[in-house]
Amino acid sequence: MGEGVSSLLAIKDLHKYFGRNEVLKGIDLDVAEGEVVAMIGASGSGKSTLLRCVNRLETPTNGTITFRGEPITPTNVNAVRREIGMVFQRFNLFPHLKAIENVALAPRKVLGTDSVVARRDAMALLEQVKLGAKAYSFPGELSGGQQQRVAIARALSLKPKAMLFDEPTSALDPELVGEVLEVMRDLAKSGMTMIVATHEMGFAREVAHRVIFLDSGRILEEGPPEQVLGAPKEERTREFLARVLNH
């Protein structure tokens, strides 16, 4: 994608070190409003670290991340986090709160939303992820797939402009993966800007506008799904896909 005003998120020359270990080695990535970017690559290639830098859960060592034209800094990070939802591998739900309370909590605490309004909005989000019937269940009473859908509803509760997904189905039993991907598919269709780190190549092929292949902290290849997944230019990409698809 070219530079310019249509870029919702712009990452420039991003480097991240943990001690002497350079995990991200100069990432450049522009994401347009409404674009779905699937990020693929082996474990340890830097996908999670990149997402965590965007959300400032990790502090970049060098480089800039700009969201809606403004650099993300320690001073505006809380405002930015409201606008960029994040869904993790592990669901991180509060076990002592019912599903509806998990979803209503952030609007009440962060935005000061009235509790009646917050619960009404939470119920609508649970309906959206097809869990209205489980609103009054505790996380321990839900399957992994249901918990992850509650986590997606919770991330949507602050009405973000973009969503980051860090391997959202990798902790799930195979038969539960589809229900989570279906919710993500619907979200993409609604026009949500999404960056999704995933091993689900079918999802990437079907839903993403663009696929980026990360290898050892660099973007080695990027392009439309049919090109990167169907006719990759780089030998490393071909090796990775052969491994994943024959898994």
Side-chain angles (χ1 to χ4, degrees):
M1 201 202 92
E3 295 203 33
V5 288
S6 60
S7 165
L8 183 72
L9 180 72
I11 299 169
K12 294 272 175 292
D13 196 29
L14 183 67
H15 293 258
K16 175 63 183 175
Y17 283 86
F18 291 104
R20 293 185 171 178
N21 180 22
E22 190 177 17
V23 178
L24 298 176
K25 302 172 182 171
I27 299 285
D28 292 303
L29 179 65
D30 277 11
V31 181
E33 190 148 1
E35 188 177 18
V36 178
V37 176
M39 194 161 38
I40 64 171
S43 296
S45 59
K47 302 186 301 296
S48 293
T49 303
L50 176 55
L51 292 176
R52 291 172 69 85
C53 282
V54 170
N55 218 20
R56 280 312 256 241
L57 293 169
E58 298 288 355
T59 305
T61 308
N62 294 107
T64 58
I65 302 174
T66 308
F67 183 69
R68 300 173 82 186
E70 296 284 321
I72 301 176
T73 65
T75 52
N76 67 3
V77 65
N78 287 334
V80 168
R81 278 192 192 140
R82 280 174 222 164
E83 304 220 359
I84 305 178
M86 187 151 178
V87 177
F88 302 87
Q89 285 182 30
R90 300 279 167 201
F91 327 119
N92 302 335
L93 299 175
F94 290 109
H96 63 290
L97 297 182
K98 293 169 181 168
I100 192 166
E101 295 163 338
N102 265 285
V103 178
L105 187 65
R108 281 182 27 236
K109 297 277 192 207
V110 178
L111 305 178
T113 305
D114 172 80
S115 63
V116 174
V117 175
R119 284 173 82 88
R120 188 191 66 210
D121 291 350
M123 192 66 188
L125 285 168
L126 288 170
E127 299 281 1
Q128 185 182 328
V129 300
K130 304 174 178 66
L131 279 177
K134 298 288 187 183
Y136 294 95
S137 300
F138 289 98
E141 300 168 330
L142 301 175
S143 71
Q146 289 169 335
Q147 289 186 60
Q148 189 61 293
R149 286 186 281 152
V150 174
I152 293 172
R154 181 184 57 185
L156 291 170
S157 69
L158 295 177
K159 303 181 175 64
K161 298 283 186 296
M163 288 278 282
L164 310 175
F165 291 88
D166 186 7
E167 303 276 7
T169 58
S170 65
L172 300 179
D173 292 333
E175 70 271 18
L176 302 176
V177 168
E179 64 191 47
V180 174
L181 294 181
E182 186 185 346
V183 166
M184 292 169 64
R185 233 177 247 120
D186 291 346
L187 205 51
K189 280 186 199 136
S190 77
M192 176 63 77
T193 308
M194 295 163 62
I195 306 178
V196 184
T198 186
H199 284 302
E200 300 291 336
M201 297 303 144
F203 175 82
R205 190 185 300 269
E206 179 193 341
V207 178
H209 299 102
R210 186 160 42 129
V211 174
I212 63 175
F213 173 60
L214 239 68
D215 185 55
S216 304
R218 292 189 172 85
I219 294 178
L220 197 61
E221 186 158 1
E222 68 178 298
E226 56 275 14
Q227 185 258 301
V228 175
L229 301 176
K233 298 181 180 128
E234 297 287 337
E235 181 59 35
R236 280 288 300 118
T237 318
R238 288 195 288 274
E239 282 171 16
F240 170 77
L241 290 171
R243 266 211 324 276
V244 172
L245 297 172
N246 295 328
H247 183 52

